[in-house]
Amino acid sequence: MNSSLSIRNYADSDQKQIVQLILHIQQQEYNIPITKQDQPDLLSIQSFYQKGNGNFWVACAGDQVVGTIALLDIGNQQVALRKMFVHSDYRGKVWNTATLLLQQAISWATQQQLTHIYLGTTLQFIAAHRFYEKNSFQEIEVTQLPASFPVMQVDKKFYQLSVILDS
């Protein structure tokens, strides 16, 4: 781990940077026509994600937010992985930001004794598909998602991870 990179729980003071980071990646890098208004969860992170078995984390380089990940409680000891974004300068093996964020989320899920993490992603995020598959996520059909999973309009590819509980 790079010593100047830290993973911590979301704080309200992070909101502006989070919105800027996510919108930049969605709109500029991937040309996805999505706005802040299309994502009301970004305007109420604490009340939307940080309840029940959910949480939201940021990766910071100094005081700059360079990555995000969230788990949304969908009931039945299951969560949806959401808002996994890493600034382009902090992707890859040098920083390992995505891996550190995912490890934090899986560790949380294990501590909360959750059974599954589900996620949906767009077809454009090829690197993300490889990343999730490398980290033991299994591709599933949309019909295999729990009824409570919030399918986003842009999501066309879905994964699940069975959380292994230590016995």
Side-chain angles (χ1 to χ4, degrees):
M1 176 176 161
N2 193 303
S3 60
S4 61
L5 192 71
S6 63
I7 309 292
R8 61 172 174 72
N9 285 347
Y10 164 83
D12 286 337
S13 57
D14 300 323
Q15 185 180 21
K16 184 177 179 186
Q17 287 189 61
I18 288 168
V19 170
Q20 290 172 337
L21 172 73
I22 291 174
L23 287 176
H24 176 80
I25 293 169
Q26 291 170 327
Q27 297 171 350
Q28 307 304 315
E29 289 186 44
Y30 291 96
N31 296 313
I32 296 172
I34 191 169
T35 66
K36 180 168 65 173
Q37 291 71 29
D38 294 329
Q39 304 172 85
D41 56 317
L42 291 178
L43 305 178
S44 55
I45 290 171
Q46 196 169 18
S47 61
F48 193 84
Y49 291 105
Q50 293 181 307
K51 63 182 185 182
N53 288 318
N55 208 344
F56 194 107
W57 298 269
V58 293
C60 296
D63 59 1
Q64 184 67 38
V65 172
V66 299
T68 63
I69 193 169
L71 293 178
L72 176 66
D73 188 346
I74 59 171
N76 201 29
Q77 293 302 104
Q78 300 172 332
V79 288
L81 190 150
R82 302 280 294 272
K83 301 303 180 192
M84 175 86 178
F85 291 96
V86 175
H87 188 287
S88 58
D89 293 348
Y90 291 87
R91 293 180 194 146
K93 294 201 184 309
V94 173
W95 289 96
N96 229 10
T97 310
T99 299
L100 293 170
L101 284 164
L102 186 61
Q103 286 172 345
Q104 176 65 49
I106 292 171
S107 174
W108 167 270
T110 303
Q111 290 166 11
Q112 303 301 112
Q113 299 184 323
L114 304 180
T115 60
H116 292 90
I117 299 173
Y118 294 93
L119 70 93
T121 187
T122 69
L123 297 176
Q124 293 103 304
F125 293 172
I126 306 296
H129 305 165
R130 287 195 301 267
F131 173 75
Y132 293 126
E133 290 163 10
K134 189 179 88 183
N135 283 282
S136 302
F137 279 81
Q138 305 292 314
E139 187 175 352
I140 60 171
E141 295 299 319
V142 67
T143 55
Q144 295 174 272
L145 291 167
S148 58
F149 182 87
V151 176
M152 307 304 289
Q153 189 175 351
V154 295
D155 292 345
K156 303 296 181 212
K157 197 168 176 91
F158 302 92
Y159 290 93
Q160 79 170 10
L161 175 71
S162 295
V163 181
I164 290 118
L165 299 174
D166 297 324
S167 43

